[in-house]
């Protein structure tokens, strides 16, 4: 009886944890978010510095700021070319998970790709519409994040659906927190930043919650990997009861 109880888990258990591990290998998302956050900080800071230097007549500082913008815009161009971005992503995954091997899902259908194009076009149209509304109407800055939630949350959920089964449930933490943040602002919760920190009202929901969701997925992938290693170890240490019966 003890030998039967010590047998490794069934194939369904191995398959479940393998899928959980593969769906939550989210470290590349963390790296991409940090890269784009850095690009935006560089562009914003260099632009502000260039404007200040130009108005004060500091030519040297002005050209230093312009020089800082060159690699930032170069990075934007690089990541905007799908072929280059895919190569970088493949290289990054290989580096981050070099000791854990490769995991891949089957490619999505053309139908899903078409829906992806529609989703991106609709998202871009909503962003443009929000900018236009900002020009024609005096919308308080504190409502910018709740307004953006009207299209950012559906976009993130739709993107998650299109990426199934490659993405796990942890990714939904991003739109969930984004929506909750908007609700709290509308309800009057004291979570708004003012003055020079006002930019954090958008940075935290966009980048902060994305990083949090990605790290949550990464931690769950570690749990899944630990279970897989335990199952593999159990399989390696398992002795067939029939072989023991013959030897005795």
């Amino acid at each position: 009886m003890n030998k039967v109880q010590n047998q490794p888990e069934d194939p369904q258990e191995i398959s479940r944890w393998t899928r959980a591990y593969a769906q939550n290998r989210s470290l590349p998302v963390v790296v991409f978010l940090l890269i784009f956050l850095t690009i935006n900080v560089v562009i914003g800071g260099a632009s502000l510095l260039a404007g200040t230097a130009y108005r004060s007549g500091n030519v040297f500082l002005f050209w230093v700021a312009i020089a800082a913008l060159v690699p930032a815009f170069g990075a934007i161009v690089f990541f905007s070319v799908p072929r280059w971005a895919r190569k970088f992503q493949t290289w990054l995954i290989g580096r981050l998970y070099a000791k854990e091997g490769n995991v891949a899902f089957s490619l999505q259908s053309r139908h899903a790709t078409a829906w992806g194009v529609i989703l991106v076009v609709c998202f871009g149209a909503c962003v443009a519409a929000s900018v236009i509304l900002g020009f024609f109407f005096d919308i308080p800055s504190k409502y910018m994040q709740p307004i953006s939630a009207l299209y950012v949350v559906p976009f993130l959920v739709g993107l998650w659906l299109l990426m199934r089964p490659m993405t796990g449930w942890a990714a939904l933490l991003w739109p969930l927190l984004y929506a909750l943040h908007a609700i709290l602002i509308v309800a009057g919760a004291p979570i708004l930043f003012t003055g020079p920190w006002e930019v954090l009202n958008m940075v935290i929901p966009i980048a902060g919650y994305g990083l949090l969701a990605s790290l949550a997925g990464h931690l769950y992938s570690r749990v899944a990997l630990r279970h897989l290693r335990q199952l593999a170890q159990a399989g390696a240490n398992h002795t067939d009861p029939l072989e023991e019966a013959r030897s005795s």
Side-chain angles (χ1 to χ4, degrees):
M1 182 65 68
N2 289 335
K3 293 184 177 62
V4 175
Q5 289 177 348
N6 290 330
Q7 288 183 2
E9 300 289 345
D10 57 58
Q12 290 184 350
E13 188 74 4
I14 296 176
S15 176
R16 181 171 74 88
W17 285 113
T18 301
R19 178 178 292 270
Y21 165 72
Q23 288 177 336
N24 291 281
R25 299 210 312 179
S26 54
L27 276 184
V29 179
V30 175
V31 175
F32 270 105
L33 283 173
L34 290 175
I35 289 174
F36 283 108
L37 184 60
T38 302
I39 291 173
N40 281 281
V41 169
V42 171
I43 291 177
S47 299
L48 180 62
L49 182 62
T52 302
Y54 179 80
R55 288 188 296 271
S56 63
N58 192 329
V59 178
F60 174 76
L61 191 59
F62 172 78
W63 284 111
V64 168
I66 295 299
L69 288 172
V70 173
F73 282 114
I76 291 177
V77 172
F78 177 84
F79 288 110
S80 298
V81 178
R83 182 165 59 91
W84 296 348
R86 282 196 299 268
K87 284 186 176 180
F88 177 78
Q89 182 182 19
T90 301
W91 173 84
L92 182 62
I93 292 174
R95 294 286 295 180
L96 292 174
Y97 297 105
K99 297 181 179 180
E100 299 176 13
N102 297 320
V103 180
F105 289 94
S106 60
L107 296 176
Q108 293 181 339
S109 65
R110 293 181 179 179
H111 182 70
T113 303
W115 275 110
V117 173
I118 294 173
L119 185 65
V120 171
V121 170
C122 291
F123 179 75
C126 289
V127 172
S130 66
V131 173
I132 294 173
L133 287 174
F135 276 113
F136 288 98
F137 297 95
D138 186 17
I139 302 175
S141 59
K142 70 176 184 177
Y143 290 123
M144 294 307 297
Q145 194 275 335
I147 291 175
S148 69
L150 296 176
Y151 55 87
V152 171
V153 172
F155 172 76
L156 292 175
V157 173
L159 190 63
W160 178 81
L161 290 172
L162 288 175
M163 293 180 68
R164 295 288 291 171
M166 294 183 292
T167 305
W169 292 94
L172 286 177
L173 187 62
W174 191 353
L176 177 63
L177 291 175
Y178 203 102
L180 179 61
H181 193 98
I183 292 172
L184 289 175
I185 290 177
V186 174
I191 60 173
L192 289 170
F193 293 89
T194 58
W197 302 103
E198 191 173 5
V199 67
L200 293 178
N201 292 327
M202 292 300 297
V203 171
I204 290 177
I206 292 175
Y209 294 155
L211 287 172
L212 185 61
S214 300
L215 290 174
H218 172 68
L219 291 176
Y220 188 60
S221 75
R222 301 301 92 188
V223 173
L225 183 60
R226 186 184 65 183
H227 279 277
L228 284 173
R229 286 171 173 169
Q230 289 175 348
L231 291 172
Q233 185 66 29
N237 295 335
H238 174 63
T239 303
D240 189 349
L242 293 179
E243 291 295 332
E244 286 194 354
R246 294 191 189 99
S247 61
S248 60

